[in-house]
Amino acid sequence: MLDNKQIKWLEAEAVNSATTRQPLYAARKKIFPKRASGRFRQFKWLVMAITLGIYYLTPWLRWDRGPFAPDQAVLLDLANRRFYFFFIEIWPQEFYYVAGLLMMAGVGLFLITSTVGRAWCGYTCPQTVWVDLFLVVERAIEGDRNARMKLDAAPWSARKLFLRISKHAIWLVIAVATGGAWIFYFADAPTLLSEVATGTAAPVAYVTIAVLTGTTYVFGGLMREQVCTYMCPWPRIQAAMLDENSLTVTYNDWRGEPRSRHAKKALAAGQPVGDCVDCKACVAVCPMGVDIRDGQQLECITCALCIDACDNIMDKLGREHGLISYATLSDYNTNIAIATAGGTRPIDPTLIRTAGGAFSEKLTHFHLRKLSRPRTYVYMGLLSLVGIGLLFSLMTRSRLGVNVLHDRNPQFVTLSDGSIRNGYTVKLLNMIPEPRTIVVTMKGLEGAQMILVGSDQPAGRSFAIPVEPDRLKTLKIFVRQPANQLRGQTQTFTFVANDQAGLESDRYTATFNAPETTR
């Protein structure tokens, strides 16, 4: 074990302390998180690069759908009421796919929370990602924690003004890019960028950019942790999804207590000493201003930066990693019972180690198999069920549709020769980005014929109708049946729509009405 003199103690106090709660309307105390280094910080860098890359670059990806459809890979085409996602095209009546994806996202969030706690908050939440990005800019310009604190406390000078203006200017550029990237999902990105740059874009584009620029700048740069603490409902909901086997970032006081900054003196005096040297490195790196040693708190987003900070200190002390770690409540309770002799005495570090200084075999450590429990399987089952259902529906859906609306007034017309005529509005839906010919045929209604209004085609029982790509075509059709073929006041028959190439078909059962006196 190295001398504690090699440890740098930090003057860091928890802004959000579990022991001393701040008044709701107290003035905000600034948090100056120190840069952390370690495996969890590296993982957060990776997640930040991936998520920001997806957000900013996706509108620029191309996907060839032929000459009759847009080639933007992901496009929310509100004008034409289409949603394009690579090879998938969603029409308004297929919104249940979006609803299914939202269900999967919700169940997936429940699954993640029940297994690894607030991992969403700590790694992939947009608020967390953009705050991290803004902090990168702040550290690059103003320096790390101590330099920023010193600059903040210093009187205004030319240097301080220059640094602050530079930082906020870059924040604004990021915020504008964030708002700009969002609108590119709703129109062809290169075209819209040119229109925005030349001032010819629709006013809603500029309004959207302005609103998202303001929210990104304020939430990510100015409010930061206050958004998570006061505005986000998730910290108050997620606790209901945790149980004794959920992983959370935990200070293992069963090995850390009693704390001491002078371990050698305490040991020489015969006092018990834990592994925590009260350096407050875990507090200094926390972007939420939390002291994890106070236990689980609403403000903690489980970003695990305190684990990296503590592990670095343990390396300097020659101690094992894991004084702060991901742990379950079940494992914690088992170990704290060992360290306190079943709760009969204060934490005693000698009870958890052997004479040689190694951890006792009685201690419980986390294993991945502990995540396998009924609750996890239920969430995974629901997630799989919805996903398989959506995939099956997507693979088997028809891209041709027919819908029929019977004329309401009049229900029928008696012609001069005694035959009965009914009118129908027939809608043919071509849901592929290619033109095709759809053959509309009558099935049933003996002796009846169709008349296509506005066409010079002779009356018959079948018509070939050309339909434009990715369009809905509306037809007006009269169906006429001779009086001697009538079989009652109400008869049913079927409109059948077939792709001329024979690939797809759809049908609609319609009603043919006649006067009661003809029965």
Side-chain angles (χ1 to χ4, degrees), residues 162-388:
F162 173 76
L163 293 178
R164 288 293 166 86
I165 291 177
S166 300
K167 178 182 72 173
H168 286 276
I170 296 176
W171 281 0
L172 281 172
V173 170
I174 294 173
V176 171
T178 301
W182 178 253
I183 66 171
F184 294 148
Y185 284 90
F186 297 88
D188 181 66
T191 303
L192 183 56
L193 176 62
S194 175
E195 292 175 350
V196 170
T198 57
T200 58
V204 67
Y206 298 104
V207 172
T208 302
I209 293 175
V211 171
L212 292 180
T213 296
T215 53
T216 304
Y217 173 77
V218 173
F219 291 169
L222 304 181
M223 293 184 66
R224 295 185 181 176
E225 78 288 343
Q226 289 182 302
V227 173
C228 305
T229 303
Y230 300 112
M231 297 177 62
C232 181
W234 188 239
R236 294 156 179 83
I237 298 173
Q238 58 89 28
M241 302 176 194
L242 301 177
D243 58 29
E244 64 276 5
N245 293 310
S246 301
L247 276 177
T248 58
V249 174
T250 306
Y251 167 62
N252 297 307
D253 54 359
W254 48 266
R255 63 167 280 196
E257 303 295 323
R259 307 171 196 174
S260 176
R261 293 192 174 189
H262 308 285
K264 287 188 175 181
K265 292 181 179 180
L267 289 172
Q271 299 173 357
V273 176
D275 288 347
C276 180
V277 294
D278 201 23
C279 63
K280 296 187 178 180
C282 56
V283 181
V285 300
C286 181
M288 297 298 296
V290 168
D291 188 341
I292 192 62
R293 297 173 299 175
D294 292 337
Q296 282 295 306
Q297 299 156 65
L298 177 144
E299 294 83 5
C300 178
I301 60 173
T302 66
C303 61
L305 296 182
C306 53
I307 297 179
D308 285 339
C310 188
D311 285 348
N312 290 335
I313 298 299
M314 292 298 104
D315 285 337
K316 294 178 180 179
L317 294 174
R319 292 286 188 176
E320 303 91 339
H321 287 181
L323 175 57
I324 301 176
S325 66
Y326 271 104
T328 66
L329 179 61
S330 176
D331 291 344
Y332 173 84
N333 288 337
T334 299
N335 295 337
I336 198 69
I338 296 173
T340 60
T344 60
R345 52 195 291 189
I347 295 175
D348 187 349
T350 62
L351 297 178
I352 63 168
R353 295 186 183 272
T354 63
F359 282 126
S360 169
E361 294 182 355
K362 297 179 181 179
L363 293 174
T364 302
H365 300 284
F366 172 75
H367 193 278
L368 284 175
R369 65 174 177 270
K370 294 183 179 181
L371 298 180
S372 301
R373 58 191 195 276
R375 187 175 188 176
T376 305
Y377 292 134
V378 169
Y379 286 139
M380 292 180 64
L382 288 173
L383 192 65
S384 301
L385 186 63
V386 176
I388 292 174

Side-chain angles (χ1 to χ4, degrees), residues 397-452:
R397 66 177 177 165
S398 174
R399 309 308 290 152
L400 183 152
V402 59
N403 190 43
V404 179
L405 181 65
H406 193 293
D407 287 353
R408 293 186 177 183
N409 189 21
Q411 292 278 328
F412 58 85
V413 173
T414 303
L415 301 179
S416 59
D417 61 357
S419 62
I420 304 299
R421 188 184 74 186
N422 283 205
Y424 302 88
T425 300
V426 179
K427 297 181 179 181
L428 301 177
L429 185 61
N430 178 16
M431 301 172 67
I432 64 173
E434 298 176 5
R436 56 180 172 179
T437 301
I438 298 175
V439 179
V440 180
T441 305
M442 284 183 60
K443 297 293 184 181
L445 206 61
E446 185 178 351
Q449 289 186 321
M450 295 188 297
I451 301 171
L452 183 59

Side-chain angles (χ1 to χ4, degrees), residues 448-463:
Q449 289 186 321
M450 295 188 297
I451 301 171
L452 183 59
V453 178
S455 172
D456 56 0
Q457 297 188 52
R461 294 182 63 86
S462 180
F463 294 117

Side-chain angles (χ1 to χ4, degrees), residues 118-131:
R118 293 176 64 184
W120 160 260
C121 298
Y123 299 99
T124 55
C125 174
Q127 175 67 13
T128 298
V129 172
W130 262 268
V131 167

